[in-house]
Amino acid sequence: MKEKRKELKLTQVEFAKKAKVSSNYYSSIEKGTNSPSLDVLIRISTALDVSLLYLLNDRIDDMEHRVDEEVDRLQKIFNEIPRDQLNVVEGLIIQAARLRILLDDNWKDILENGEYEKFSQSNNQVPYDRKRPIVDNYDNRDKTYQSIIQQLTELLPKKKLDRKSKLLGR
């Protein structure tokens, strides 16, 4: 979005006015701290003169780039796993990388919006605090991530202890 906006030689304020959104909200979308609704994305794509798919693909490309960086990081950590277990390891590393990116995004949302929200079944009911669904989502993903990291760690070759370390229990 930012690149396309700059191609049009518009400031964020000018572009936000053209897209009929507040400049603060547009700025947060461009920074990635807010995810716009479909209606807002349509207005932005129209103002940029690009397809909605173009904007969505941009977001997907960003996520995939972050996953690729995390895969590289995890491969360096677990590079001592024997190559004969590579087919198992590759799948676990990719899954762990995807989960890590999702966890990071969920965590940002929880920090920005809190763990609880006001909720009521109807307008007549007094709202009450309830845990936001993203918190349970985060907890479940974190358990899965921890399980995968444990599986990968268990595949690492055991370090051979020298005689002195064995005697000292290290």
Side-chain angles (χ1 to χ4, degrees):
M1 276 191 287
K2 184 177 184 176
E3 292 167 9
K4 284 291 184 185
R5 174 183 59 78
K6 287 187 171 193
E7 283 177 20
L8 296 172
K9 297 179 176 29
L10 294 172
T11 66
Q12 284 185 344
V13 172
E14 293 166 337
F15 181 77
K17 191 177 284 187
K18 183 176 179 180
K20 298 179 183 135
V21 295
S22 77
S23 56
N24 285 340
Y25 184 55
Y26 178 74
S27 174
S28 70
I29 293 169
E30 207 171 83
K31 287 181 202 168
T33 57
N34 259 326
S35 293
S37 67
L38 187 56
D39 179 54
V40 171
L41 274 176
I42 290 169
R43 283 187 268 155
I44 290 172
S45 68
T46 301
L48 288 173
D49 195 28
V50 297
S51 70
L52 182 59
L53 188 58
Y54 174 87
L55 291 181
L56 293 173
N57 280 340
D58 191 40
R59 181 157 168 79
I60 291 168
D61 289 345
D62 176 58
M63 291 285 283
E64 287 300 321
H65 175 71
R66 291 170 55 208
V67 167
D68 289 344
E69 287 179 344
E70 182 63 12
V71 165
D72 290 345
R73 187 185 79 84
L74 290 171
Q75 284 175 336
K76 288 175 185 159
I77 292 170
F78 296 107
N79 70 346
E80 292 180 25
I81 293 176
R83 294 294 153 220
D84 62 334
Q85 296 175 329
L86 194 59
N87 57 348
V88 173
V89 172
E90 284 178 355
L92 288 173
I93 286 176
I94 291 168
Q95 189 62 21
R98 289 177 179 151
L99 283 168
R100 175 70 186 261
I101 299 310
L102 290 171
L103 283 166
D104 288 348
D105 289 348
N106 287 169
W107 184 247
K108 286 178 194 170
D109 184 284
I110 291 167
L111 286 176
E112 290 174 13
N113 301 305
E115 291 185 48
Y116 293 89
E117 63 187 352
K118 292 289 184 192
F119 179 78
S120 67
Q121 295 287 346
S122 70
N123 291 337
N124 300 331
Q125 187 181 27
V126 176
Y128 61 92
D129 285 341
R130 78 166 181 183
K131 189 189 300 185
R132 294 178 60 230
I134 197 166
V135 175
D136 288 330
N137 193 336
Y138 178 88
D139 291 341
N140 291 331
R141 284 179 175 158
D142 189 48
K143 286 177 188 165
T144 305
Y145 177 76
Q146 296 302 328
S147 172
I148 292 172
I149 294 300
Q150 182 177 354
Q151 290 175 59
L152 288 167
T153 302
E154 289 170 357
L155 291 172
L156 286 169
K158 305 293 182 243
K159 302 269 187 207
K160 293 186 178 179
L161 300 176
D162 61 16
R163 192 168 170 219
K164 182 179 177 184
S165 295
K166 285 181 185 176
L167 289 172
L168 295 174
R170 294 185 201 163

